[in-house]
Amino acid sequence: MNAPLRDLTAIQARLRELQSHDLPVHGGRTLAYVYDAGLPEVDDLGREAVAAFAGSNGLDPTAFPSMLTMENELVGFACHLVDAPPEAVGTVTSGGTESCLLAVQAARDAHPEIARPNLVMASTGHAAFRKGAHYFGVDLHIVPVGPDFRPDPAAMAAAIDDDTVLVVVSAPSYAHGVVDPVPEVAAAAAARGVRCHVDACIGGWVLPYAGRLGRAVTPWTFAVEGVTSISMDTHKYAYAPKGTSLLLHRSSALRKPQYFVSADWPGYTMINSTLQSTKSGGPLAGAWSVVQALGDEGYLELAAQTFATVERIVEGIAAIPGLTLAVRPDSTLVTLVTDGSCDPFTVCDEMAERGWYVQPQLHHEDSPANIHLTVQAGTLVNVDELLTAFADAVAAAQATGPVQVDPGVVAFIEALDPAVLSDADFDGLLAASGLVGAAADGSLELPSRMAPVNAMLDVAAPAMREALLVAFLDRLARPVR
Ligand SMILES: Cc1ncc(COP(=O)(O)O)c(C=O)c1O
């Protein structure tokens, strides 16, 4: 007898209802988290491939040879983008963070003789490397950036010592969209015999085309001597469904320590190139299909559209009083700051009211609170609307003035110790701020406007922000019984 099923139509309806509360992934109006090429037929192809391979298991390439073929072809395509030498190899991972984690893990495990390995990175390097350092017991040597949000190569070189196993540079950094001085830093790393990883998670599928479109880009690929590995995410500017990134190494010898193998148990032979062991074939098939569909010419055109959008935004913002660029973008990420007439968090909320998601970023060291835009090809058709929305949003934010954090709440936060933040402390802060309502069962009701919450987080130091965010997510993630 077949297992009895519940009402499948009702389940699909519920899925649609749940999804209707999410940010839209199409339409080019969500300028963080998602990447929209504006090509529905390519999206459909990718989704169908995800569905078709959802049950395939990338754990064993001899059982699922299709996975190996797609992985090798995808890596081969990427090799052309990043000037990889013939000996280069690569791995498809589940996303940018996994690629970064594996770069750290492989660098550490290449040097078992170093008792306390460390990693050198600018303060603007992606938090994924902090996660990798945390997971794999690697110390961090963080180098500050200058007013242009790039690190001084001499300072990066000086931070390398005998225990350094990896130097990380960004192409570009997420927060400010600028490319680090890769040639100088890679040369310094090579001179000390240290691996140099280029985090091109967000730039890897778009910067190679920038050069071909006549834009000046600091060299960052394997053409730069000393670059030993590169991460580049297919689920970003390759416009693939979520769930894949590539980690490329200059040679298979450099990749070897990334592998985990265990033959010392009675089950199947376990040899993994990634953190996951069993892994769905869906994301890989989705990425492979989208890359096949777009090909080099497709990506060139999408990059042209994306950079045209960036230029329109740069010009348009210059005409909006109160809003300016934090720095001239090197790539497709735009960072905007406000003058004292309004605050970026309120502008983000006002943009949301107008149907645009732009991302608030808290201040960090000398980087002021700002607004991040991940510009994508699908935004070009609506760029005039985007600029009008910004002009209106800034005017609205100026009318209300910068969001103020209650001095009592500031004092409350300052009195808390992030190292031992308790549930009671968190509840006290919620009550004092009046920003996030807690229902009788303890579950949180999200506020409709985030500016007051962001402003409150912005007054806290990073350690306190982290403690508050953990308390917040912990409270959100509770089973529905
Ligand atoms: C430069 C950079 N590195 C790493 C990551 C992490 O990627 P993911 O969110 O896919 O884990 C990102 C994400 O935006 C990024 O921009």
Side-chain angles (χ1 to χ4, degrees):
M1 184 185 130
N2 288 339
L5 297 180
R6 299 204 182 146
D7 181 352
L8 305 191
T9 318
I11 294 168
Q12 287 165 333
R14 174 97 205 281
L15 280 175
R16 279 193 298 276
E17 201 281 318
L18 288 170
Q19 198 167 37
S20 70
H21 302 286
D22 293 346
L23 289 172
V25 299
H26 295 295
R29 291 168 163 273
T30 305
L31 296 178
Y33 304 122
V34 306
Y35 299 79
D36 181 19
L39 297 170
E41 63 275 42
V42 176
D43 288 337
D44 289 347
L45 180 81
R47 274 150 213 255
E48 279 161 27
V50 171
F53 282 80
S56 306
N57 194 341
L59 167 62
D60 182 350
T62 64
F64 294 90
S66 61
M67 315 256 44
L68 187 60
T69 303
M70 287 190 281
E71 178 162 21
N72 284 336
E73 290 185 10
L74 202 48
V75 171
F77 186 98
C79 280
H80 290 297
L81 292 181
V82 295
D83 308 309
E87 316 73 54
V89 294
T91 306
V92 176
T93 72
S94 64
T97 297
E98 189 180 5
S99 292
C100 300
L101 292 180
L102 289 170
V104 176
Q105 174 265 320
R108 181 199 67 174
D109 289 348
H111 288 284
E113 78 288 359
I114 297 180
R116 272 197 78 169
N118 68 67
L119 177 167
V120 172
M121 177 174 84
S123 58
T124 47
H126 198 278
F129 292 95
R130 294 176 185 264
K131 184 174 181 177
H134 174 68
Y135 277 13
F136 301 122
V138 173
D139 289 343
L140 282 167
H141 288 189
I142 297 295
V143 175
V145 293
D148 63 351
F149 304 109
R150 296 176 185 84
D152 172 12
M156 291 286 283
I160 301 173
D161 65 20
D162 292 345
D163 294 332
T164 304
V165 294
L166 187 66
V167 177
V168 174
V169 273
S170 305
S173 61
Y174 182 85
H176 305 100
V178 296
V179 177
D180 285 347
V182 178
E184 294 89 336
V185 176
R192 300 286 299 255
V194 175
R195 291 175 180 228
C196 177
H197 179 82
V198 176
D199 179 9
C201 279
I202 204 157
W205 290 78
V206 71
L207 284 177
Y209 297 101
R212 282 166 62 182
L213 291 165
R215 298 177 71 90
V217 182
T218 302
W220 59 275
T221 64
F222 285 115
V224 176
E225 282 299 316
V227 169
T228 53
S229 57
I230 296 177
S231 48
M232 47 198 294
D233 297 357
T234 21
H235 68 192
K236 294 194 170 78
Y237 283 102
Y239 297 102
K242 288 282 179 271
T244 56
S245 161
L246 268 55
L247 173 59
L248 269 54
H249 280 100
R250 186 180 277 278
S251 69
S252 78
L254 286 163
R255 180 176 62 177
K256 284 264 171 66
Q258 176 191 317
Y259 287 141
F260 176 81
V261 63
S262 181
D264 197 10
W265 74 305
Y268 56 86
T269 310
M270 188 156 125
I271 161 79
N272 297 155
S273 58
T274 58
L275 296 174
Q276 287 179 301
S277 189
T278 281
K279 54 186 164 191
S280 169
L284 171 58
W288 180 88
S289 308
V290 169
V291 171
Q292 292 292 313
L294 289 168
D296 198 49
E297 291 306 309
Y299 285 115
L300 182 64
E301 175 56 30
L302 289 172
Q305 292 173 10
T306 310
F307 285 115
T309 315
V310 169
E311 289 311 322
R312 295 278 296 280
I313 293 172
V314 167
E315 283 160 26
I317 291 299
I320 302 177
L323 203 57
T324 45
L325 293 175
V327 58
R328 164 105 206 152
D330 281 346
S331 183
T332 53
L333 313 176
V334 176
T335 310
L336 302 171
V337 289
T338 51
D339 65 13
S341 64
C342 62
D343 71 280
F345 307 136
T346 305
V347 174
C348 291
D349 280 351
E350 292 294 335
M351 288 297 281
E353 301 258 323
R354 291 161 177 79
W356 291 89
Y357 180 82
V358 294
Q359 191 175 48
Q361 297 191 123
L362 305 182
H363 90 270
H364 181 255
E365 295 173 352
D366 292 336
S367 174
N370 61 68
I371 304 168
H372 167 102
L373 314 184
T374 295
V375 178
Q376 38 207 283
T379 305
L380 182 58
V381 287
N382 292 326
V383 70
D384 288 334
E385 244 189 89
L386 170 71
L387 291 167
T388 305
F390 259 125
D392 294 348
V394 170
Q398 285 167 334
T400 51
V403 63
Q404 304 292 339
V405 185
D406 184 325
V409 173
V410 177
F412 196 104
I413 292 174
E414 278 167 1
L416 293 174
D417 178 356
V420 291
L421 187 85
S422 66
D423 282 353
D425 291 336
F426 186 62
D427 286 338
L429 181 61
L430 291 185
S433 70
L435 295 176
V436 182
D441 65 355
S443 66
L444 298 184
E445 286 153 14
L446 291 178
S448 57
R449 286 180 75 90
M450 290 303 291
V453 176
N454 285 319
M456 186 176 78
L457 285 172
D458 203 49
V459 299
M464 192 65 218
R465 289 177 193 167
E466 289 163 2
L468 291 173
L469 291 168
V470 168
F472 180 62
L473 186 60
D474 171 68
R475 199 59 76 74
L476 283 181
R478 292 292 158 93
V480 177
R481 295 172 200 252

